[in-house]
Amino acid sequence: MSSASASSALEASGIRVELDDGTPVVDGIDLRVNPGEILGLVGESGSGKTTTALSLFGHSGRGIVMTAGEIVVDGEVLEGDRRFQQARGRLVSYTPQNPGAALNPSRRVMQSVQDMIAAHRREADAEQLSVQLFERVGLPVERSFTERYPHQLSGGQQQRVCIAASLAPEPALIVLDEPTTGLDVVTQDRILKELLRLRDEQNAAMLYITHDLAVVSQIASRIAVMYAGRIVEQGPTESVLREPRHPYTRGLVASTPDHRRPRTLEPMPGVSVGVGEWPQGCPFAPRCPQRVDRCETAFPPTEQVTADHDVRCYEWRQTPPATAHSVVPGNVKSQEEHPQEPVVLEVRALHAEYRSRHETMVAIEDISLTVERGACVALVGESGSGKTTTGRVIAGLHPNATGEILLQGKPLPLHARRRSAEQRRCLQIIFQNPYQALNPRHTVAEEVARPAHVLRGMSRRGAREEVRRLLEAVRLPAATARRYPRELSGGERQRVAIARALAAEPEVIICDEITSALDVSVQAVILELLRELRHDLGLSLVFITHDLGVVATIAERTLVLENGVICERGSTGSILESPQHPYTRRLLAAAPSISLAAESWTLQGSG
Amino acid sequence: MSTAVATPSPPHSRRPRIPAFIAADRGGQVGLVFLVLIVFVALFGPFIAPHSPNVPIGIPGQGSIGGSPLGLDQLGRDVLSRALSGGRTALALGALATVATYLVGVMLGLLAGYARNTALDGITMRTVDIFISLPAILVMLVLVTALGGSSWVLVLGAAVVLFPGVTRIVRTAAAETATRGYVEAAVARGEKRGAILRREILPNIMAPIIADLGVRFSWSIILIASVNFLGLGLSPPASDWGLMISENRSVIPTNPWAVVAPALALVLLILGVNLLGDAYVRHLGRSSSR
């Protein structure tokens, strides 16, 4: 608010976007981005981040319309379809979430960039400029690469092509919509570093949209936090993350796992507010621990915390520090081993491959692990490292495998079909994608009752009782039993999937990236739920994830996989604190973390 | 095992009530009207027909006259009466052929799709490819010539021609659904293959199956009508819409109604079935997106 608007790359004020029937989707959005600055727009799914971003282009989906607000980019007021049309690409460019879908599959990658140049900078030598752009984003410029089609590139390379294309018209503002979601941490880290370099070299202004506070702490100079279509807190990254003043921001920080500072997460109660459900007062009030009466009648005005840090909360002075009492130093080390507990699951020399008509690919080689009763063993690695295959082999779902699996000391056939009902009962699996985990044609009750019926021989009536008990165990209201998956959110679906696994009364549950499709606050709820279930039921977990922060939160022991081989194993504490294998070190160095960013703030502050 | 496939029985609570999905859909309403009209004609037509369908009452090929609004056909029989009694065979044979097509097609498609990329899948689908490469009308004619033009042969022929398409659609949909978490969860808890196909996969691929149903039913009617038109299927004096179109080609100049009336009836029937199928698919799309 301090600098003059003429120098800003983006000055947006009072943006309101509505559905056709007048239901607000986002409201009162003020954003400012200066050249050489990256603004992180943070919020969970449904908070209106992408709607806000698209409104900067005068673009909105079907049945959505921008009804108020002023957008000034690089000193030009954008108004009316024509102005927006002319501004797209030239003044504002957009890098979408899914680069694979954003690139035309029938165009060679270099052509995609040249198309952008042809559309906006006809005077430029497209050939020469596109090579420069490829170099600038760190892509090879050999013919053998530039003439490839998008599907021949990795996800990270595709994303870089998109970034190169959005740089082509030299726009005043680059909008990046979750550009690294779905990429491996090492690739993500490289892209983040390149964005920082572009910011410095070109004095570029960027709006970086993400749900991940750890990522944004690494890259953004300022942060705007969205909740239910409104910005609830905005300020410099350091001050927002270190001393969040809005209880929602605080909740997000407390829900974000951090591999450098393992601690219990503090899940926020309740669920976020969707479009059309905005209450009269503050939308966060129903979940807020510090609400007062007026929160329920009026949405708080913007209040200044410091000159450039503002918040929309009446009680912001009461917000407790984000991490003061939740940090448990040495948490991981203290619960290292369970030597007295019996081994539930033992895997020896597991080997699996994928066969297609033409070739055989080795997916995992010589994987061995043991899981004690009540323990949680994490399998960590990038995509393609074989961690999911390992989980599927143990669950009996991967046909081309050899090796030995012992369940409670007795050998377990590798194929689920050859296992006894008792063996199948003991070992359950939960899948990554909650949107595909439940049969859309079955009610929650049918889905959860089935394992109890098939594997435990429960009568229909008994199973009905059991469903009620299990839904309570995963903190879902009893009425959920009658609902269909499509009526549930992602987090609720994943809780139903957990209930379905629990319905078998298993000894071991294999969790295959079960929180990676969920918002951080929902992830925190699920991780805490699993922790309690382990404690109460003596459950053992094999937890497959790519997120080292999650590992630090939940697992006592960790196995790091690289290209199908275990490259390092040990207690989570020792792996996170003193990794031995270079691959583990690389993973750790690339993993984003709020506390890592905090250290650099301290350094800057003192130096 | 055939009953398992024939009755896609998702629990009743969620099976969309037919009136509900039609009431909300203009196309569905029109389709229902068409279909009810044709079924009514097929069932009760013979009782309200003013004349006997098989007895000549005047000069062949005569246009509209008193007591015979649609004129007379090539043998001097009342076109209206014949059109009113010609629906039963088209409707019944078409329906039977469609049921037979789906019994075979869905079962093979489910088995192949679930066993995707195995020998069973390969053998099934290559066999299907052979069947699909046979010219439809040729298969019908060979069968009719070899086995005679009885109703059962017509039904069998139409099913042989039509099942490969159904198998392909079902196989593709089933193979995709088989990778879903809920199917894998069922495999992991050791459900039998039949139960997995029936409980987990079939209910979730109903949209493409039903979308295809209308087209397939229309095809079977057209195929049977074509064979009848060629004079190799049902033989005169049976009244059948397909047969009527064929018989009356010679009187088109004097009494076009002799061809237009049965053709119109076939068009309404096929349109009605397709509109209803589309409405159902739209309904499924609305209620179970994601």
Side-chain angles (χ1 to χ4, degrees):
Chain A
M1 319 286 128
S2 49
S3 63
S5 63
S7 65
S8 314
L10 168 73
E11 187 89 51
S13 52
I15 298 177
R16 180 181 170 94
V17 178
E18 295 177 351
L19 298 182
D20 276 344
D21 60 5
T23 313
V25 182
V26 301
D27 190 21
I29 303 285
D30 299 325
L31 292 171
R32 183 174 46 82
V33 189
N34 291 323
E37 182 180 72
I38 299 179
L39 172 65
L41 187 61
V42 182
E44 298 189 282
S45 48
S47 61
K49 305 181 297 264
T50 299
T51 307
T52 303
L54 291 177
S55 70
L56 301 178
F57 302 85
H59 180 75
S60 44
R62 256 175 91 128
I64 303 179
V65 62
M66 181 170 145
T67 52
E70 191 189 48
I71 296 166
V72 184
V73 178
D74 205 19
E76 269 187 57
V77 181
L78 302 185
E79 225 171 357
D81 286 348
R82 268 186 65 85
R83 296 298 295 274
F84 273 118
Q85 159 93 54
Q86 287 166 356
R88 282 177 209 151
R90 182 176 58 93
L91 284 177
V92 197
S93 73
Y94 184 66
T95 305
Q97 187 169 62
N98 184 348
L103 293 168
N104 183 338
S106 65
R107 301 286 280 165
R108 297 176 194 277
V109 291
M110 183 70 101
Q111 278 173 343
S112 288
V113 176
Q114 289 172 356
D115 289 347
M116 194 75 171
I117 299 170
H120 295 286
R121 297 177 64 187
R122 242 169 265 149
E123 79 291 347
D125 177 350
E127 192 108 351
Q128 196 191 339
L129 182 57
S130 56
V131 169
Q132 283 174 6
L133 285 166
F134 265 50
E135 279 171 343
R136 214 179 291 164
V137 296
L139 285 172
V141 292
E142 292 82 48
R143 269 236 130 75
S144 58
F145 182 83
T146 59
E147 299 208 330
R148 288 193 199 169
Y149 289 98
H151 72 268
Q152 295 168 310
L153 268 55
S154 70
Q157 290 170 328
Q158 290 174 343
Q159 191 57 276
R160 267 179 264 195
V161 172
C162 286
I163 294 172
S166 62
L167 289 174
E170 300 192 330
L173 175 72
I174 302 168
V175 177
L176 302 133
D177 192 353
E178 304 252 11
T180 62
T181 306
L183 300 180
D184 286 321
V185 276
V186 176
T187 318
Q188 164 171 287
D189 188 49
R190 281 220 294 275
I191 292 207
L192 294 183
K193 292 212 165 89
E194 265 149 28
L195 290 175
L196 285 174
R197 191 169 52 78
L198 288 169
R199 177 197 68 182
D200 296 338
E201 284 175 8
Q202 318 226 318
N203 209 26
M206 302 186 196
L207 180 65
Y208 191 102
I209 299 173
T210 181
H211 67 281
D212 191 334
L213 281 183
V215 167
V216 90
S217 72
Q218 237 67 151
I219 188 164
S221 9
R222 286 192 307 120
I223 294 183
V225 180
M226 285 192 80
Y227 185 77
R230 282 177 282 209
I231 291 176
V232 293
E233 184 161 10
Q234 184 164 200
T237 305
E238 179 178 355
S239 112
V240 171
L241 293 186
R242 189 172 280 173
E243 288 172 70
R245 292 293 89 204
H246 197 283
Y248 176 66
T249 316
R250 185 196 170 272
L252 279 184
V253 173
S255 301
T256 304
D258 193 328
H259 65 91
R260 298 170 59 95
R261 293 172 85 176
R263 58 193 160 82
T264 17
L265 305 177
E266 286 178 62
M268 282 182 268
V271 289
S272 62
V273 177
V275 171
E277 300 168 352
W278 293 10
Q280 195 190 357
C282 172
F284 190 66
R287 306 171 69 185
C288 184
Q290 58 206 55
R291 70 173 165 270
V292 291
D293 285 348
R294 60 179 168 168
C295 294
E296 274 151 42
T297 49
F299 187 62
T302 303
E303 291 186 43
Q304 300 282 323
V305 178
T306 60
D308 54 357
H309 183 170
D310 48 57
V311 64
R312 297 189 81 165
C313 177
Y314 290 120
E315 294 296 303
W316 61 270
R317 288 179 187 84
Q318 312 305 320
T319 308
T323 48
H325 60 81
S326 54
V327 179
V328 187
N331 176 16
V332 167
K333 282 224 153 161
S334 66
Q335 41 173 265
E336 245 175 42
E337 297 287 331
H338 294 237
Q340 73 282 20
E341 295 287 353
V343 171
V344 183
L345 178 75
E346 185 170 1
V347 170
R348 289 189 199 141
L350 220 52
H351 182 101
E353 50 197 31
Y354 281 96
R355 286 183 202 148
S356 72
R357 200 164 302 166
H358 308 292
E359 54 183 346
T360 300
M361 261 176 46
V362 175
I364 54 170
E365 244 178 312
D366 197 25
I367 301 277
S368 301
L369 59 93
T370 52
V371 185
E372 294 85 11
R373 191 180 141 78
C376 174
V377 175
L379 293 180
V380 189
E382 295 184 278
S383 52
S385 62
K387 52 191 196 307
T388 290
T389 308
T390 306
R392 290 174 54 84
V393 173
I394 298 173
L397 292 171
H398 188 87
N400 301 319
T402 56
E404 213 179 341
I405 306 176
L406 301 175
L407 183 67
Q408 291 166 324
K410 297 192 196 71
L412 190 65
L414 284 171
H415 205 295
R417 218 167 270 299
R418 278 185 223 108
R419 295 178 182 174
S420 70
E422 174 62 14
Q423 289 170 328
R424 290 191 301 258
R425 182 186 69 74
C426 288
L427 196 63
Q428 292 289 309
I429 182 165
I430 306 172
F431 300 96
Q432 173 172 10
N433 186 343
Y435 295 95
Q436 296 191 352
L438 307 175
N439 190 329
R441 303 262 149 213
H442 290 173
T443 60
V444 167
E446 292 173 81
E447 200 67 13
V448 174
R450 190 71 185 173
H453 178 62
V454 172
L455 298 174
R456 285 162 64 199
M458 279 189 129
S459 68
R460 272 173 215 290
R461 169 176 293 190
R464 206 176 313 145
E465 283 300 307
E466 186 71 358
V467 169
R468 193 170 314 153
R469 195 181 65 77
L470 289 164
L471 289 180
E472 206 179 296
V474 297
R475 317 276 136 67
L476 285 171
T480 316
R482 290 190 301 274
R483 303 175 76 182
Y484 287 95
R486 65 170 175 272
E487 302 169 71
L488 306 177
S489 71
E492 289 169 328
R493 290 180 206 211
Q494 205 59 300
R495 273 189 265 182
V496 173
I498 293 173
R500 182 177 64 187
L502 292 177
E505 289 200 321
E507 302 293 326
V508 185
I509 300 184
I510 298 158
C511 303
D512 184 4
E513 296 264 20
I514 62 170
T515 59
S516 66
L518 305 175
D519 280 321
V520 277
S521 70
V522 183
Q523 166 174 287
V525 174
I526 300 268
L527 292 180
E528 281 311 300
L529 174 66
L530 286 175
R531 181 198 295 278
E532 283 167 31
L533 291 171
R534 276 172 62 199
H535 183 261
D536 298 348
L537 309 173
L539 261 181
S540 313
L541 301 180
V542 176
F543 202 93
I544 297 165
T545 180
H546 65 280
D547 188 330
L548 292 167
V550 171
V551 171
T553 310
I554 192 161
E556 291 88 37
R557 270 182 305 125
T558 299
L559 279 69
V560 184
L561 269 76
E562 184 191 16
N563 297 327
V565 183
I566 295 177
C567 66
E568 184 160 1
R569 65 168 82 215
S571 76
T572 305
S574 65
I575 286 197
L576 294 179
E577 276 162 36
S578 52
Q580 300 301 311
H581 195 277
Y583 178 72
T584 317
R585 287 198 199 130
R586 220 160 54 234
L587 274 186
L588 273 167
S593 142
I594 297 180
S595 59
L596 178 68
E599 280 164 27
S600 74
W601 302 329
T602 317
L603 283 177
Q604 282 163 10
S606 60
Chain B
M1 59 182 169
S2 56
T3 50
V5 178
T7 49
S9 55
H12 301 284
S13 48
R14 140 189 25 88
R15 173 80 78 64
R17 305 231 130 226
I18 294 210
F21 87 81
I22 292 172
D25 193 294
R26 183 59 57 84
Q29 294 163 2
V30 175
L32 186 69
V33 170
F34 286 179
L35 197 66
V36 164
L37 189 75
I38 294 297
V39 170
F40 180 84
V41 165
L43 288 179
F44 303 109
F47 305 116
I48 54 175
H51 303 281
S52 159
N54 295 328
V55 178
I57 56 167
I59 305 157
Q62 194 175 21
S64 178
I65 51 167
S68 186
L70 297 183
L72 306 179
D73 73 356
Q74 104 282 11
L75 292 177
R77 297 169 297 195
D78 181 32
V79 170
L80 179 65
S81 301
R82 280 183 70 74
L84 284 173
S85 18
R88 283 188 180 184
T89 46
L91 212 57
L93 294 187
L96 273 176
T98 310
V99 169
T101 300
Y102 274 85
L103 277 181
V104 181
V106 170
M107 206 157 57
L108 288 179
L110 280 175
L111 285 173
Y114 182 62
R116 62 200 179 284
N117 305 330
T118 61
L120 174 66
D121 180 26
I123 292 168
T124 311
M125 294 320 290
R126 296 303 78 76
T127 314
V128 163
D129 289 346
I130 293 172
F131 273 93
I132 221 165
S133 65
L134 301 173
I137 204 75
L138 208 65
V139 173
M140 293 290 284
L141 293 183
V142 168
L143 281 175
V144 166
T145 317
L147 303 173
S150 77
S151 310
W152 292 112
V153 175
L154 292 178
V155 168
L156 175 75
V160 165
V161 168
L162 294 174
F163 92 90
V166 176
T167 306
R168 278 191 175 177
I169 291 169
V170 172
R171 190 246 168 215
T172 310
E176 203 235 315
T177 308
T179 63
R180 300 282 163 91
Y182 52 86
V183 180
E184 301 223 291
V187 175
R189 68 175 176 254
E191 303 262 7
K192 296 199 174 63
R193 181 159 62 179
I196 292 176
L197 295 181
R198 195 175 62 243
R199 272 180 58 93
E200 311 290 344
I201 297 185
L202 187 59
N204 289 299
I205 60 171
M206 285 314 282
I209 290 180
I210 303 237
D212 175 70
L213 184 72
V215 183
R216 214 58 61 176
F217 182 55
S218 319
W219 257 105
S220 66
I221 291 171
I222 292 167
L223 262 176
I224 293 172
S226 309
V227 176
N228 290 340
F229 170 83
L230 291 174
L232 290 165
L234 302 172
S235 45
S239 56
D240 172 88
W241 289 333
L243 192 59
M244 283 174 69
I245 298 173
S246 150
E247 292 171 339
N248 292 315
R249 276 169 303 166
S250 58
V251 297
I252 290 176
T254 52
N255 183 16
W257 279 113
V259 169
V260 171
L264 208 61
L266 281 175
V267 166
L268 284 185
L269 171 59
I270 289 163
L271 251 161
V273 171
N274 275 305
L275 285 173
L276 277 181
D278 290 351
Y280 187 74
V281 170
R282 276 194 291 272
H283 170 79
L284 282 181
R286 268 195 302 275
S287 62
S288 65
S289 48
R290 301 281 317 236

